C-alpha cells in the first residue's frame, strides 16, 4: 500500500486485482502502462489525479525499474522481467559513459551518439514489453477487467499493442518520440523549412544553409529511425498477428497529450487530436523540509541557486565536481545541489548537497536566483513556470535542443558539461543573476506560459475521461490515416494531370509538325510546278 | 441607447466617444469592426460579453446595413456610406435572384454562381470600407483612443487595415473566408488529398476521382480568388502605402477565433493561433414569448417543426410557398415558420408564420421534432447543440457543403429548394421524425459537441483578453510567415540537392565512359599486337 494506492506484486495478484475492481464502482476503468525515468515524473500527477477523481486506475510496471513505483489512488501491478536491478544499473551506467565519452563538437556526432544510446534503451524497453506480452496469466487477468481505456507513453510499445489487442482506445502521454515518429503517426505536417529538426542546431528562423541542413537531418533521422524502430515493428506484428508497423499502430491513438507549450516550443501545425499540456508538472507545490527551508530562507539578499542534472545523473567525475565546488565558493549565493558523489574536504559552506531535492518547490521560493540544469523538459518547464533564469549544461537526447530554445529567448546561458571550468561557471552564473534582462525575459515568458484558459492537468484529465465517456475520439481522427504516402501527397493525381498535359503537348506538337510538313510539301510542289 | 450600450451617430460623435472612454477606467480597450448579415449574429454575443466583463468596446458600423445595429455593454459608432437602405436592399434582392435562378445541377456552375454573388458582396464591403477609411474625422477620432486591440471579421478588409495602421494586434472572428484564404493567410496546411474543398461535393473520404476533382477545384478556386480579392489587395496597399496583399496582411493576425467544431467539420491540421469556438451562438437560451410558448406546448405528442431559411430569405415565390403549406397540412406536427410572403387563404391551422422567430429557444424546446433549415452554420450548430434532426434546403454559399456534412453523418435529409414538392417534403419530414436513427445519431453528435473542457464563449473572451494583456500572441506565430512560397516548400533546397545528385551522376557516367574507352582501347591495342 502506497499513499492511497494499492501495490500488488506478480501475476498471482490477479485475483486481488479483480476483487479490488469489482468492489469499487467508479467513473471509468483505465489501464496505465508508463515509461521509466523522467517520463514517469510527467505522467504520475495525471494518473494520480484520475484516480483521485474516482476512476479505477491500474498501473502495470516491471518488477525492476529505475523510477517507476507506487502512486496514490491507483492499483499498481508488477510483472517479472529477465534482468536484475544491478543489470539495469549497469545498462544505465554504460549509457551514461557513452554519453560522457561522446564527441559533442558537431551535430552529426551528437545525433549518432543519441541514437546509439536510444537503441540500447529501446532494446531494453522492447525486452521489457516482451516480458509483459508473453506473461499469459497477467495478460489474461488484465483482459478480463474490460478496461475502458489505455493510458500509455508511446516511448515503449506495449501500451499501444495491448490497447489494440484488448480493442480499447488509447490515450498517449508524451513530449515527443525520437525522429518525430509522433508527428508522422498522427499525420501532422512538419514542414522542414521552418520546423527545426532535433540536433540540427537550428531555430525556426533558418537561412538557406540552415534549411539545407534541416532537410538533411530530416532525411538522416528518417533513416536512423527506420533502423531503430524495426524491432518495435517486429514485436507489433508478431504479437498482433497482422502486418502492421509501430507507426501505423500509433496512428490509432485517440488523443495525444503532448507536454508541449509555445513558451518553450516553436509554433508549428497541430492535429485536432493533439492536446497541449506543457507545464503539467509544475502545478502543485509542497512545503520544503524544515532544514532546507531554513537554509534557503537565510540566504539573505543574495539568495540561492538550485543545481540538478536530472534523475539519471546524480554524480560526476571528481575532477569535474571540483570545478563546481570551486565556482560555488566564489559566488555570494547559497547553492542547493543534488549530488551523490565525493564531497571534497574543503567544500564551501554555502553549498548544501542532497541525494534528492524538491526541485519545483525550491524554484518557487522567492529567494531563488538561478537554476543550473541539464535542460530536461521537466526542469525547463519548472524554470519557466517559476520564472527562474538558467545556466544550462545539456547532457544528451533532446537536451541540446531544449537549452538552445531557452538560450535564443535570452533567459539562460549554455555551458558544455564536458569542458566546464569554475571560471566559466562563475561568469555564467553572475551573468544570469546580475544582468536583469535574463530575469525580465524569463518573467515575461512565465507570464505567457501561465496565462491559459484551463490548467494542463485539468485538460489532460478532461480528454482522458472524454475518450472513456465516448469510447474514443473518432470525430478528431483525420482521414489522412486511410491514405498511403503517394495518395496523401496527391502524387497519383499529379501523375495523371502531368500525363494529360504531356499528351496534349505531344499531340499538339505532332499535329503542328504534320501540318508544317504538309505546308512545306505543298509549297515545294507549288515551287516545282512554277519552275 | 440600446440595452446597456451607447449608440452614437456620425463622425461628430467623436467628442462624446472620447468622453465615454475617458470617464470609464476598465480592463481593455477594443475596437470592433464587424461584418454584416449572419456574421454579426455570431460575433455579437462575444462583443457583448467582452463589454459585460468590463472592457471598453467600441463597435464601428455603417449607417446603413442589413443586420448590424446596437449591442449591449458597448459604444456603437456609425459612419456614413454612399448608398441608401433601398439601394442596399436592391443589391440583396438582385443577389437572391441570381441565386434562385442559378443552375445548381453541377458543382462548377454552383461554384461560379457563388463566386458571382460573392464578388457583388465583396464590392459592397470594399466600398463600405473605403467610406470608413476615407472618413478622416472618424479615423482620427478612433486613432486617438489608443485601442489595445482590433476585433474584426476578415470577411471585410477594413478591420485588418486599420489594425495595421493603428499598430494594434488583431483578433479575427470567422467561420472561414472564401477559397480558404484564412488557411492560406495563417500558413495552415490543408492537403487536398483529404481536406475536401468547398463545392467539390466531397467528404474527407475520397477515391481517386474524388481526389482528382478536389485538386481541380482547389486550383480553380485559387484562380477565382485571385480575381475576387484583387480589389482588397489594391485597397490594402493604397491605404497602408506599402506593397502588401490582403492575404499577407491577414497573416499578421494574432488569433483566429474560428466557428469550428469537429462534430460538424472534418478534422484537418490547425495552427497554434487558431482557436475553435464552434457553437458559440448556442450558449444562451431565453424564454419564448407567451403565445408562442403556448402554441408549441400544446403541440401534443406529435410535437412541432421549426422552419427558417436564414436571416436573408424570409419569403419565396407564391407557387413554391404553396408546396410547403400543402406539405405541412399533411403532417401531424405543428409548424413554426419564419415567413413574410403571401399566406394562402386555406393555410393549414397547424402552421404559425412569423416575421422573426427565436430559433435557438425553439430548438431547445423538448417537443421539437425537426428543423427545416437552409444549412447556414448558425442554424446547423443550433440544431446540433439541441440535438434536432434536420431537413435541409441549401440556397447558396457554403450551405451546400454544410448540409452535405450533416447528411453523411445521418442526422438529416437534403432537398433542393429549387424543385421541392409537397410530396418530397412530407417524405423527408416523416423520415427524420419517425426513423429513430436520425434522432439517435443527432443526440450522439450533440453529446460530443457539448462535451468540452471550456465553453466557446469563455474561450473566445479568454484569447481576446490574452492578446490585450500581452500586446499580441507572438509566441504562437509560425516562422512560416517569413518564407516565400519556394522557401516554404523547400524547392530551393531540393533544386540544390538535385543539382548535386545530377552532377555526381553525370561525372560518374563520364568517368565510366572514359575508363571504358581506355579499357577498350587497351584491349584493342593488345589484340592488334597479339595478331
Amino acid at each position: 500500500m502506497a499513499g492511497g494506492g494499492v501495490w500488488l506484486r506478480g501475476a498471482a495478484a490477479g485475483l486481488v486485482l479483480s476483487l479490488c475492481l469489482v468492489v469499487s464502482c467508479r467513473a471509468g476503468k483505465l489501464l496505465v502502462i508508463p515509461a521509466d525515468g523522467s517520463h514517469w515524473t510527467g505522467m504520475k500527477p495525471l494518473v494520480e489525479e484520475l484516480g483521485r477523481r474516482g476512476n479505477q486506475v491500474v498501473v502495470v510496471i516491471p518488477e525492476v525499474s529505475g523510477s517507476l513505483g507506487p502512486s496514490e489512488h491507483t492499483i499498481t501491478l508488477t510483472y517479472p522481467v529477465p534482468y536484475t536491478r544491478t543489470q539495469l544499473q549497469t545498462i544505465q551506467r554504460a549509457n551514461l559513459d557513452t554519453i560522457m565519452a561522446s564527441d559533442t563538437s558537431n551535430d552529426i556526432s551528437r545525433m549518432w551518439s543519441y541514437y546509439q544510446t536510444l537503441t540500447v534503451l529501446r532494446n531494453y524497453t522492447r525486452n521489457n514489453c516482451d516480458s509483459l506480452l508473453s506473461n499469459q496469466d497477467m495478460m489474461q487477468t488484465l483482459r478480463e477487467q474490460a478496461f475502458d481505456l489505455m493510458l500509455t507513453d508511446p516511448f515503449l510499445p506495449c501500451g499501444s499493442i495491448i490497447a489494440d489487442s484488448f480493442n480499447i482506445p488509447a490515450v498517449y502521454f508524451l513530449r515527443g518520440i525520437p525522429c518525430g515518429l509522433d508527428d508522422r503517426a498522427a499525420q501532422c505536417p512538419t514542414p522542414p523549412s521552418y520546423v527545426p529538426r532535433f540536433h540540427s542546431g537550428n531555430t525556426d528562423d533558418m537561412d538557406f544553409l540552415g534549411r539545407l541542413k534541416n532537410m538533411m537531418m530530416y532525411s538522416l533521422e528518417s533513416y536512423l529511425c527506420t533502423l531503430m524502430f524495426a524491432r518495435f515493428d517486429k514485436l507489433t506484428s508478431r504479437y498482433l498477428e497482422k502486418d502492421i508497423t509501430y507507426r501505423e499502430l500509433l496512428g490509432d491513438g485517440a488523443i495525444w497529450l503532448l507536454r508541449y507549450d509555445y513558451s518553450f516550443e516553436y509554433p508549428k501545425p497541430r492535429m485536432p487530436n493533439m492536446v497541449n499540456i506543457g507545464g503539467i508538472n509544475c502545478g502543485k507545490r509542497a512545503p520544503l523540509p524544515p532544514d532546507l527551508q531554513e537554509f534557503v530562507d537565510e540566504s539573505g539578499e543574495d539568495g540561492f541557486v538550485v543545481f540538478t542534472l536530472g534523475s539519471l545523473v546524480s554524480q560526476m567525475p571528481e575532477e569535474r565536481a571540483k570545478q563546481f565546488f570551486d565556482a560555488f565558493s566564489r559566488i555570494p549565493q547559497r547553492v542547493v545541489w543534488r549530488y551523490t558523489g565525493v564531497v571534497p574536504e574543503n567544500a564551501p559552506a554555502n553549498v548544501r548537497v542532497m541525494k534528492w531535492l524538491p526541485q519545483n518547490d525550491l524554484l518557487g521560493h522567492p529567494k531563488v536566483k538561478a537554476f543550473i540544469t541539464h535542460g530536461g523538459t521537466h526542469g525547463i518547464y519548472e524554470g519557466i513556470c517559476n520564472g527562474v533564469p538558467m545556466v544550462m549544461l545539456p547532457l544528451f537526447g533532446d537536451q541540446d535542443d531544449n537549452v538552445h530554445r531557452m538560450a535564443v529567448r535570452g533567459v539562460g546561458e549554455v555551458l558544455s558539461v564536458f569542458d566546464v571550468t569554475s571560471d566559466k561557471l562563475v561568469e555564467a552564473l553572475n551573468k544570469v543573476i546580475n544582468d536583469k534582462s535574463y530575469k525580465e525575459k524569463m518573467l515575461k515568458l512565465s507570464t505567457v506560459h501561465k496565462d491559459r484558459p484551463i490548467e494542463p492537468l485539468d485538460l489532460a484529465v478532461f480528454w482522458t475521461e472524454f475518450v472513456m465517456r465516448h469510447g474514443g475520439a473518432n470525430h478528431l481522427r483525420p482521414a489522412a490515416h486511410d491514405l498511403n504516402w503517394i495518395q496523401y501527397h496527391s502524387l497519383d493525381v499529379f501523375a495523371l494531370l502531368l500525363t494529360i498535359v504531356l499528351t496534349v503537348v505531344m499531340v499538339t506538337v505532332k499535329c503542328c509538325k504534320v501540318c508544317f510538313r504538309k505546308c512545306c510539301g505543298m509549297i515545294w510542289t507549288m515551287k516545282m510546278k512554277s519552275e
Side-chain angles (χ1 to χ4, degrees), chain A:
Chain A
M1 193 85 182
V6 179
W7 170 257
L8 307 173
R9 286 189 188 278
L15 183 66
V16 188
L17 171 68
S18 304
L19 280 172
C20 286
L21 293 182
V22 167
V23 168
S24 53
C25 175
R26 301 189 195 173
K29 286 171 81 173
L30 291 95
L31 178 57
V32 180
I33 307 220
D36 202 357
S38 63
H39 291 239
W40 177 232
T41 316
M43 195 195 247
K44 195 176 172 188
L46 170 61
V47 171
E48 291 184 333
E49 185 62 18
L50 284 163
R52 202 190 61 75
R53 295 198 194 192
N55 297 288
Q56 297 173 349
V57 184
V58 177
V59 188
V60 178
I61 60 172
E63 266 179 13
V64 176
S65 72
S67 316
L68 293 168
S71 43
E72 290 190 14
H73 313 294
T74 64
I75 297 166
T76 305
L77 210 54
T78 63
Y79 58 91
V81 280
Y83 51 83
T84 62
R85 184 164 300 277
T86 318
Q87 284 170 321
L88 178 63
Q89 283 166 346
T90 309
I91 294 174
Q92 287 176 340
R93 168 68 45 206
N95 253 347
L96 218 57
D97 289 345
T98 312
I99 293 157
M100 294 292 188
S102 64
D103 170 17
T104 57
S105 56
N106 73 72
D107 298 326
I108 304 282
S109 147
R110 268 209 317 274
M111 191 170 173
W112 185 250
S113 145
Y114 174 51
Y115 282 93
Q116 264 185 311
T117 320
L118 273 182
T119 306
V120 177
L121 276 179
R122 260 167 210 273
N123 291 343
Y124 151 67
T125 51
R126 199 206 76 98
N127 293 340
N128 211 321
C129 276
D130 221 357
S131 307
L132 174 57
L133 296 174
S134 57
N135 187 329
Q136 293 193 357
D137 288 346
M138 171 72 87
M139 291 301 289
Q140 188 55 29
T141 306
L142 293 176
R143 191 183 290 272
E144 281 164 7
Q145 303 310 318
F147 288 101
D148 300 311
L149 178 109
M150 165 67 73
L151 173 64
T152 190
D153 186 323
F155 191 79
L156 78 172
C158 29
S160 329
I161 294 175
I162 293 174
D164 188 279
S165 169
F166 288 8
N167 199 21
I168 53 174
V171 169
Y172 301 137
F173 185 100
L174 67 161
R175 188 268 175 114
I177 314 178
C179 77
L181 193 73
D182 46 337
D183 283 328
R184 289 168 207 244
Q187 299 284 355
C188 183
T190 48
S193 52
Y194 75 94
V195 181
R197 308 311 303 178
F198 273 109
H199 309 288
S200 67
N202 282 325
T203 68
D204 59 349
D205 178 18
M206 300 174 233
D207 57 12
F208 178 77
L209 286 180
R211 289 188 293 108
L212 178 67
K213 186 177 175 189
N214 214 44
M215 180 65 81
M216 293 177 76
M217 291 305 252
Y218 181 70
S219 315
L220 180 62
E221 93 183 349
S222 301
Y223 169 70
L224 288 174
C225 284
T226 312
L227 295 182
M228 202 167 60
F229 285 104
R231 298 192 75 183
F232 279 25
D233 291 343
K234 269 187 199 162
L235 183 72
T236 304
S237 49
R238 178 163 61 81
Y239 189 79
L240 296 176
E241 293 175 353
K242 56 183 173 184
D243 187 22
I244 187 171
T245 64
Y246 184 51
R247 187 183 69 71
E248 287 163 350
L249 180 69
L250 280 182
D252 291 337
I255 293 285
W256 297 77
L257 298 174
L258 289 152
R259 293 196 297 102
Y260 218 87
D261 187 89
Y262 300 108
S263 59
F264 172 40
E265 311 279 2
Y266 297 116
K268 63 179 189 180
R270 308 313 277 146
M271 295 310 283
N273 60 349
M274 290 176 156
V275 179
N276 286 357
I277 52 156
I280 193 170
N281 55 324
C282 184
K284 286 183 183 171
R285 200 166 294 144
L288 294 171
D291 61 327
L292 189 59
Q293 182 78 44
E294 194 186 326
F295 182 74
V296 293
D297 278 352
E298 290 175 4
S299 59
E301 280 208 359
D302 291 316
F304 69 97
V305 172
V306 181
F307 177 20
T308 158
L309 292 179
S311 52
L312 282 178
V313 185
S314 65
Q315 47 185 292
M316 58 178 78
E318 214 173 322
E319 263 315 300
R320 204 165 289 165
K322 268 188 185 164
Q323 300 291 333
F324 284 89
F325 280 110
D326 182 40
F328 298 151
S329 72
R330 292 158 58 192
I331 59 169
Q333 285 78 25
R334 287 188 172 183
V335 179
V336 187
W337 179 6
R338 176 174 180 255
Y339 179 65
T340 56
V342 180
V343 180
E345 278 183 16
N346 58 347
N350 63 334
V351 179
R352 161 83 54 105
V353 297
M354 302 175 76
K355 282 191 176 171
W356 173 88
L357 55 79
Q359 186 171 285
N360 194 38
D361 305 332
L362 278 168
L363 290 173
H365 193 281
K367 289 196 170 175
V368 68
K369 297 292 175 191
F371 178 29
I372 309 177
T373 172
H374 63 305
T377 52
H378 291 301
I380 287 203
Y381 273 121
E382 287 175 7
I384 294 175
C385 174
N386 293 295
V388 185
M390 303 172 184
V391 170
M392 297 168 288
L393 303 141
L395 293 168
F396 67 103
D398 54 2
Q399 293 159 11
D400 262 315
D401 287 82
N402 297 345
V403 305
H404 191 42
R405 277 160 210 226
M406 289 294 99
V408 293
R409 284 177 165 91
V411 297
E413 284 292 309
V414 181
L415 296 176
S416 165
V417 78
F418 305 100
D419 60 3
V420 70
T421 63
S422 59
D423 287 347
K424 286 181 187 173
L425 262 170
V426 170
E427 190 189 340
L429 278 169
N430 282 337
K431 216 167 168 183
V432 303
I433 293 171
N434 300 325
D435 179 344
K436 295 295 168 213
S437 78
Y438 289 89
K439 181 73 180 173
E440 280 163 14
K441 284 178 186 161
M442 192 48 134
L443 282 179
K444 207 171 165 186
L445 207 61
S446 183
T447 314
V448 166
H449 171 64
K450 290 190 288 187
D451 194 357
R452 48 201 170 201
I454 182 166
E455 285 306 301
L457 183 59
D458 294 325
L459 200 60
V461 169
F462 172 83
W463 281 109
T464 311
E465 292 186 338
F466 179 98
V467 174
M468 285 196 284
R469 278 193 293 275
H470 303 281
N474 266 340
H475 69 305
L476 302 180
R477 180 183 164 83
H481 286 292
D482 306 322
L483 303 174
N484 62 37
W485 191 83
I486 289 176
Q487 292 168 329
Y488 179 91
H489 292 96
S490 299
L491 297 186
D492 47 354
V493 171
F494 285 127
L496 178 73
L497 293 176
L498 196 68
T499 310
I500 293 171
V501 169
L502 286 179
T503 311
V504 169
V505 169
M506 279 169 67
V507 169
T508 313
V509 169
K510 202 86 182 169
C511 289
C512 289
K513 271 188 179 172
V514 170
C515 292
F516 184 73
R517 268 185 208 151
K518 281 204 170 175
C519 288
C520 286
M522 280 170 70
I523 292 168
W524 179 254
T525 318
M526 281 164 72
K527 263 192 177 176
M528 290 293 282
K529 277 185 182 172
S530 65
E531 279 170 17

